[in-house]
Amino acid sequence: MSQTVTMQMMELLRQIQPLGQFETDTPLFDSGYMDSIIIFDRLLPALEEMFQITVEPPELVPENFETPRAIVRYVESKKSAAASGKSERPAAECAKSGRILTK
């Protein structure tokens, strides 16, 4: 995990939810710091802008957004795929579960 991406992610989460006490393994939904409205209205647009990625609907699974560490892994996989010119979606194995991100 890149320290730079991790630091950016932690700062972003603090901006979005100033009352949150975030560590890399903080369970974002179970802690009550995030819900689907915050994810869709604030986090996803900020991720797409900050990291120049596009979050695809099949990637909106809890496994990609349950902790800051999971989000960093997701972002890094998206950036890596883009840098290598791959068109496949990262974390596609998570999408196979058929679950979508809601709470």
mmCIF file of all heavy atoms in Angstrom, residues 8-9 11-13 15-16 38-53 55 71 75:
data_model
loop_
_atom_site.group_PDB
_atom_site.id
_atom_site.type_symbol
_atom_site.label_atom_id
_atom_site.label_comp_id
_atom_site.label_asym_id
_atom_site.label_seq_id
_atom_site.Cartn_x
_atom_site.Cartn_y
_atom_site.Cartn_z
ATOM 1 N N GLN A 8 -3.426 10.442 1.592
ATOM 2 C CA GLN A 8 -4.458 11.201 0.891
ATOM 3 C C GLN A 8 -5.846 10.683 1.258
ATOM 4 O O GLN A 8 -6.772 11.476 1.456
ATOM 5 C CB GLN A 8 -4.255 11.107 -0.622
ATOM 6 C CG GLN A 8 -3.054 11.873 -1.123
ATOM 7 C CD GLN A 8 -2.832 11.623 -2.598
ATOM 8 O OE1 GLN A 8 -2.772 10.498 -3.053
ATOM 9 N NE2 GLN A 8 -2.716 12.715 -3.348
ATOM 10 N N MET A 9 -5.980 9.356 1.348
ATOM 11 C CA MET A 9 -7.270 8.758 1.672
ATOM 12 C C MET A 9 -7.703 9.146 3.084
ATOM 13 O O MET A 9 -8.862 9.503 3.317
ATOM 14 C CB MET A 9 -7.196 7.235 1.551
ATOM 15 C CG MET A 9 -8.506 6.542 1.850
ATOM 16 S SD MET A 9 -9.822 7.059 0.745
ATOM 17 C CE MET A 9 -9.063 6.696 -0.821
ATOM 18 N N GLU A 11 -6.836 11.758 4.811
ATOM 19 C CA GLU A 11 -7.186 13.180 4.829
ATOM 20 C C GLU A 11 -8.552 13.403 4.186
ATOM 21 O O GLU A 11 -9.369 14.172 4.687
ATOM 22 C CB GLU A 11 -6.113 13.998 4.103
ATOM 23 C CG GLU A 11 -6.403 15.483 4.067
ATOM 24 C CD GLU A 11 -6.554 16.116 5.451
ATOM 25 O OE1 GLU A 11 -5.931 15.648 6.418
ATOM 26 O OE2 GLU A 11 -7.328 17.093 5.556
ATOM 27 N N LEU A 12 -8.812 12.721 3.088
ATOM 28 C CA LEU A 12 -10.105 12.837 2.425
ATOM 29 C C LEU A 12 -11.242 12.393 3.347
ATOM 30 O O LEU A 12 -12.257 13.069 3.469
ATOM 31 C CB LEU A 12 -10.115 12.009 1.138
ATOM 32 C CG LEU A 12 -11.437 11.945 0.379
ATOM 33 C CD1 LEU A 12 -11.888 13.341 -0.049
ATOM 34 C CD2 LEU A 12 -11.302 11.020 -0.811
ATOM 35 N N LEU A 13 -11.052 11.268 4.013
ATOM 36 C CA LEU A 13 -12.088 10.780 4.931
ATOM 37 C C LEU A 13 -12.320 11.759 6.070
ATOM 38 O O LEU A 13 -13.463 11.988 6.476
ATOM 39 C CB LEU A 13 -11.709 9.405 5.479
ATOM 40 C CG LEU A 13 -11.755 8.265 4.462
ATOM 41 C CD1 LEU A 13 -11.172 6.994 5.063
ATOM 42 C CD2 LEU A 13 -13.166 8.037 3.952
ATOM 43 N N GLN A 15 -11.936 14.991 5.892
ATOM 44 C CA GLN A 15 -12.653 16.139 5.326
ATOM 45 C C GLN A 15 -14.136 15.817 5.170
ATOM 46 O O GLN A 15 -14.993 16.652 5.455
ATOM 47 C CB GLN A 15 -12.071 16.521 3.972
ATOM 48 C CG GLN A 15 -10.725 17.152 4.043
ATOM 49 C CD GLN A 15 -10.125 17.379 2.661
ATOM 50 O OE1 GLN A 15 -10.768 17.190 1.644
ATOM 51 N NE2 GLN A 15 -8.861 17.775 2.635
ATOM 52 N N ILE A 16 -14.420 14.611 4.706
ATOM 53 C CA ILE A 16 -15.800 14.199 4.473
ATOM 54 C C ILE A 16 -16.542 13.997 5.785
ATOM 55 O O ILE A 16 -17.709 14.361 5.919
ATOM 56 C CB ILE A 16 -15.836 12.906 3.619
ATOM 57 C CG1 ILE A 16 -15.391 13.232 2.197
ATOM 58 C CG2 ILE A 16 -17.216 12.266 3.628
ATOM 59 C CD1 ILE A 16 -15.204 12.021 1.320
ATOM 60 N N ILE A 38 -23.382 9.142 2.091
ATOM 61 C CA ILE A 38 -22.063 9.787 2.126
ATOM 62 C C ILE A 38 -21.157 9.200 1.049
ATOM 63 O O ILE A 38 -20.442 9.933 0.368
ATOM 64 C CB ILE A 38 -21.427 9.667 3.529
ATOM 65 C CG1 ILE A 38 -22.227 10.486 4.535
ATOM 66 C CG2 ILE A 38 -19.968 10.120 3.503
ATOM 67 C CD1 ILE A 38 -21.814 10.292 5.985
ATOM 68 N N ILE A 39 -21.204 7.885 0.891
ATOM 69 C CA ILE A 39 -20.370 7.239 -0.129
ATOM 70 C C ILE A 39 -20.707 7.796 -1.513
ATOM 71 O O ILE A 39 -19.819 8.236 -2.252
ATOM 72 C CB ILE A 39 -20.561 5.705 -0.117
ATOM 73 C CG1 ILE A 39 -20.054 5.096 1.195
ATOM 74 C CG2 ILE A 39 -19.885 5.057 -1.324
ATOM 75 C CD1 ILE A 39 -18.570 5.003 1.348
ATOM 76 N N PHE A 40 -21.987 7.778 -1.872
ATOM 77 C CA PHE A 40 -22.385 8.189 -3.223
ATOM 78 C C PHE A 40 -22.298 9.692 -3.444
ATOM 79 O O PHE A 40 -21.901 10.132 -4.521
ATOM 80 C CB PHE A 40 -23.804 7.690 -3.540
ATOM 81 C CG PHE A 40 -23.854 6.227 -3.812
ATOM 82 C CD1 PHE A 40 -24.380 5.360 -2.871
ATOM 83 C CD2 PHE A 40 -23.364 5.695 -4.993
ATOM 84 C CE1 PHE A 40 -24.425 3.994 -3.104
ATOM 85 C CE2 PHE A 40 -23.402 4.335 -5.249
ATOM 86 C CZ PHE A 40 -23.933 3.473 -4.299
ATOM 87 N N ASP A 41 -22.666 10.482 -2.460
ATOM 88 C CA ASP A 41 -22.687 11.929 -2.642
ATOM 89 C C ASP A 41 -21.345 12.606 -2.454
ATOM 90 O O ASP A 41 -21.095 13.647 -3.062
ATOM 91 C CB ASP A 41 -23.693 12.580 -1.684
ATOM 92 C CG ASP A 41 -25.132 12.327 -2.074
ATOM 93 O OD1 ASP A 41 -25.376 11.829 -3.193
ATOM 94 O OD2 ASP A 41 -26.020 12.621 -1.257
ATOM 95 N N ARG A 42 -20.502 12.043 -1.611
ATOM 96 C CA ARG A 42 -19.263 12.750 -1.276
ATOM 97 C C ARG A 42 -18.004 11.960 -1.587
ATOM 98 O O ARG A 42 -17.074 12.499 -2.186
ATOM 99 C CB ARG A 42 -19.298 13.141 0.207
ATOM 100 C CG ARG A 42 -20.526 14.039 0.467
ATOM 101 C CD ARG A 42 -20.544 14.718 1.780
ATOM 102 N NE ARG A 42 -19.462 15.666 1.880
ATOM 103 C CZ ARG A 42 -18.960 16.066 3.036
ATOM 104 N NH1 ARG A 42 -19.451 15.616 4.156
ATOM 105 N NH2 ARG A 42 -17.970 16.921 3.074
ATOM 106 N N LEU A 43 -17.956 10.699 -1.151
ATOM 107 C CA LEU A 43 -16.713 9.940 -1.308
ATOM 108 C C LEU A 43 -16.416 9.595 -2.764
ATOM 109 O O LEU A 43 -15.307 9.852 -3.249
ATOM 110 C CB LEU A 43 -16.735 8.670 -0.451
ATOM 111 C CG LEU A 43 -15.455 7.832 -0.514
ATOM 112 C CD1 LEU A 43 -14.258 8.609 0.006
ATOM 113 C CD2 LEU A 43 -15.628 6.539 0.256
ATOM 114 N N LEU A 44 -17.370 9.005 -3.465
ATOM 115 C CA LEU A 44 -17.105 8.591 -4.850
ATOM 116 C C LEU A 44 -16.700 9.755 -5.749
ATOM 117 O O LEU A 44 -15.689 9.651 -6.467
ATOM 118 C CB LEU A 44 -18.291 7.831 -5.436
ATOM 119 C CG LEU A 44 -18.610 6.497 -4.783
ATOM 120 C CD1 LEU A 44 -19.784 5.830 -5.476
ATOM 121 C CD2 LEU A 44 -17.414 5.583 -4.749
ATOM 122 N N PRO A 45 -17.423 10.884 -5.740
ATOM 123 C CA PRO A 45 -16.974 12.010 -6.574
ATOM 124 C C PRO A 45 -15.574 12.499 -6.193
ATOM 125 O O PRO A 45 -14.770 12.836 -7.061
ATOM 126 C CB PRO A 45 -18.023 13.096 -6.323
ATOM 127 C CG PRO A 45 -19.232 12.367 -5.856
ATOM 128 C CD PRO A 45 -18.710 11.170 -5.099
ATOM 129 N N ALA A 46 -15.275 12.520 -4.901
ATOM 130 C CA ALA A 46 -13.950 12.963 -4.456
ATOM 131 C C ALA A 46 -12.861 11.989 -4.901
ATOM 132 O O ALA A 46 -11.787 12.418 -5.343
ATOM 133 C CB ALA A 46 -13.930 13.124 -2.940
ATOM 134 N N LEU A 47 -13.130 10.683 -4.811
ATOM 135 C CA LEU A 47 -12.160 9.682 -5.273
ATOM 136 C C LEU A 47 -11.893 9.835 -6.765
ATOM 137 O O LEU A 47 -10.733 9.794 -7.208
ATOM 138 C CB LEU A 47 -12.664 8.265 -5.006
ATOM 139 C CG LEU A 47 -12.683 7.769 -3.577
ATOM 140 C CD1 LEU A 47 -13.310 6.380 -3.513
ATOM 141 C CD2 LEU A 47 -11.289 7.751 -2.977
ATOM 142 N N GLU A 48 -12.964 9.982 -7.525
ATOM 143 C CA GLU A 48 -12.802 10.103 -8.979
ATOM 144 C C GLU A 48 -12.006 11.352 -9.347
ATOM 145 O O GLU A 48 -11.150 11.305 -10.233
ATOM 146 C CB GLU A 48 -14.172 10.106 -9.659
ATOM 147 C CG GLU A 48 -14.842 8.754 -9.588
ATOM 148 C CD GLU A 48 -16.182 8.681 -10.280
ATOM 149 O OE1 GLU A 48 -16.882 9.717 -10.376
ATOM 150 O OE2 GLU A 48 -16.534 7.588 -10.735
ATOM 151 N N GLU A 49 -12.246 12.438 -8.660
ATOM 152 C CA GLU A 49 -11.511 13.672 -8.951
ATOM 153 C C GLU A 49 -10.064 13.595 -8.465
ATOM 154 O O GLU A 49 -9.137 13.901 -9.201
ATOM 155 C CB GLU A 49 -12.209 14.865 -8.299
ATOM 156 C CG GLU A 49 -11.531 16.182 -8.607
ATOM 157 C CD GLU A 49 -12.255 17.362 -7.990
ATOM 158 O OE1 GLU A 49 -13.479 17.288 -7.788
ATOM 159 O OE2 GLU A 49 -11.579 18.362 -7.699
ATOM 160 N N MET A 50 -9.876 13.201 -7.223
ATOM 161 C CA MET A 50 -8.538 13.186 -6.631
ATOM 162 C C MET A 50 -7.589 12.217 -7.328
ATOM 163 O O MET A 50 -6.422 12.530 -7.562
ATOM 164 C CB MET A 50 -8.635 12.831 -5.147
ATOM 165 C CG MET A 50 -7.284 12.760 -4.435
ATOM 166 S SD MET A 50 -7.455 12.333 -2.685
ATOM 167 C CE MET A 50 -8.010 13.894 -2.038
ATOM 168 N N PHE A 51 -8.087 11.026 -7.653
ATOM 169 C CA PHE A 51 -7.220 9.980 -8.186
ATOM 170 C C PHE A 51 -7.399 9.749 -9.685
ATOM 171 O O PHE A 51 -6.786 8.849 -10.252
ATOM 172 C CB PHE A 51 -7.438 8.675 -7.419
ATOM 173 C CG PHE A 51 -7.060 8.798 -5.975
ATOM 174 C CD1 PHE A 51 -8.028 8.838 -4.992
ATOM 175 C CD2 PHE A 51 -5.727 8.896 -5.589
ATOM 176 C CE1 PHE A 51 -7.688 8.956 -3.654
ATOM 177 C CE2 PHE A 51 -5.369 9.024 -4.257
ATOM 178 C CZ PHE A 51 -6.351 9.050 -3.290
ATOM 179 N N GLN A 52 -8.265 10.555 -10.320
ATOM 180 C CA GLN A 52 -8.491 10.451 -11.759
ATOM 181 C C GLN A 52 -8.871 9.029 -12.167
ATOM 182 O O GLN A 52 -8.279 8.426 -13.064
ATOM 183 C CB GLN A 52 -7.248 10.922 -12.535
ATOM 184 C CG GLN A 52 -6.897 12.373 -12.282
ATOM 185 C CD GLN A 52 -8.010 13.317 -12.734
ATOM 186 O OE1 GLN A 52 -8.332 13.361 -13.894
ATOM 187 N NE2 GLN A 52 -8.607 14.053 -11.806
ATOM 188 N N ILE A 53 -9.864 8.484 -11.453
ATOM 189 C CA ILE A 53 -10.376 7.154 -11.747
ATOM 190 C C ILE A 53 -11.874 7.260 -12.011
ATOM 191 O O ILE A 53 -12.480 8.283 -11.716
ATOM 192 C CB ILE A 53 -10.128 6.156 -10.590
ATOM 193 C CG1 ILE A 53 -10.849 6.608 -9.306
ATOM 194 C CG2 ILE A 53 -8.630 5.964 -10.347
ATOM 195 C CD1 ILE A 53 -10.819 5.602 -8.169
ATOM 196 N N VAL A 55 -15.232 5.084 -11.042
ATOM 197 C CA VAL A 55 -15.783 3.980 -10.254
ATOM 198 C C VAL A 55 -16.946 3.397 -11.043
ATOM 199 O O VAL A 55 -17.924 4.091 -11.324
ATOM 200 C CB VAL A 55 -16.253 4.460 -8.859
ATOM 201 C CG1 VAL A 55 -16.848 3.304 -8.073
ATOM 202 C CG2 VAL A 55 -15.090 5.101 -8.099
ATOM 203 N N ILE A 71 -10.306 0.769 0.519
ATOM 204 C CA ILE A 71 -10.444 1.824 -0.499
ATOM 205 C C ILE A 71 -9.101 2.102 -1.154
ATOM 206 O O ILE A 71 -9.018 2.251 -2.370
ATOM 207 C CB ILE A 71 -11.051 3.105 0.102
ATOM 208 C CG1 ILE A 71 -12.445 2.829 0.669
ATOM 209 C CG2 ILE A 71 -11.116 4.212 -0.955
ATOM 210 C CD1 ILE A 71 -13.033 3.985 1.464
ATOM 211 N N VAL A 75 -8.329 1.835 -5.069
ATOM 212 C CA VAL A 75 -7.793 2.951 -5.848
ATOM 213 C C VAL A 75 -6.486 2.550 -6.518
ATOM 214 O O VAL A 75 -6.281 2.817 -7.708
ATOM 215 C CB VAL A 75 -7.595 4.201 -4.959
ATOM 216 C CG1 VAL A 75 -6.748 5.256 -5.655
ATOM 217 C CG2 VAL A 75 -8.948 4.783 -4.554
#
